[in-house]
Amino acid sequence: MEIATNTVVGITFELKVSKDEEAIESVPFSVEVRDQEDPFYFLFGNSGLPEKFEAEIAGKKVGETFSFVLLVTEAYGEAQEDLIMSMPKNQFSNENGFEPEMLEEGNFLPLMDENGYPMQAKVLKDLGEEVLLDFNHPLVGFDLHFEGEIFEVREASPEEIEHGHIHGAHGVDHDND
């Protein structure tokens, strides 16, 4: 089966990132590896991944490999200043499920948007009563170098298509909601 819209895709890969800095030769460095013990699964056509990523693997079958680079403009773009904001520290209390060490600079806070979808923010600075957070995607400003293999391709179920995500062992388990 070929990768196409409404197929569930499992891939193994190594992701390296680089920045095109003037006067500095940027060597890609590894930031994520997903192997056969922990493949990455998604619903093709509704993955939330950059469009160019899906275009690069469309039509591939199990066992085929891929190797490509997404430039910043094809990936997550440049950082947006309006996504960097300070918020009162008291919003991140123990009652709300946060531990004090979670607010240390460089940590990523697990959050939810107004629709209940998971998101994250990077802690940039402790400002005393407030904390400066960056809501940009962690990979903004980077060229993304992907190298991997197609691990699994199957037809998505009608429920997966309707819900817009995969179910079961590699996706959402609605029985535990």
Side-chain angles (χ1 to χ4, degrees), residues 98-174:
F98 294 94
E99 300 294 328
E101 60 272 8
M102 293 172 78
L103 295 177
E104 292 175 8
E105 291 178 20
N107 285 348
F108 285 90
L109 295 177
L111 304 171
M112 293 216 178
D113 69 12
E114 59 274 359
N115 298 316
Y117 292 105
M119 61 183 291
Q120 63 183 4
K122 183 178 183 179
V123 178
L124 295 179
K125 189 160 184 67
D126 184 335
L127 302 171
E129 295 296 312
E130 294 188 330
V131 62
L132 186 63
L133 300 177
D134 184 350
F135 287 89
N136 282 290
H137 190 283
L139 296 174
V140 297
F142 289 102
D143 292 335
L144 309 181
H145 305 251
F146 286 96
E147 204 167 301
E149 184 176 342
I150 308 305
F151 186 72
E152 183 179 337
V153 181
R154 68 168 174 81
E155 222 173 284
S157 71
E159 293 82 18
E160 289 172 320
I161 294 167
E162 180 184 339
H163 291 179
H165 57 251
I166 63 172
H167 293 165
H170 307 294
V172 176
D173 183 2
H174 289 291

Side-chain angles (χ1 to χ4, degrees), residues 14-21 24-32 67-71 142-147:
E14 179 176 13
L15 169 60
K16 295 180 180 181
V17 298
S18 65
K19 281 191 179 233
D20 185 18
E21 301 284 340
I24 297 176
E25 193 67 32
S26 182
V27 177
F29 63 93
S30 184
V31 294
E32 184 175 8
S67 179
F68 56 87
V69 176
L70 300 183
L71 301 176
F142 289 102
D143 292 335
L144 309 181
H145 305 251
F146 286 96
E147 204 167 301

Side-chain angles (χ1 to χ4, degrees), residues 87-107:
M87 300 184 76
K89 264 193 195 173
N90 61 13
Q91 288 188 354
F92 306 102
S93 65
N94 285 18
E95 295 80 39
N96 291 334
F98 294 94
E99 300 294 328
E101 60 272 8
M102 293 172 78
L103 295 177
E104 292 175 8
E105 291 178 20
N107 285 348

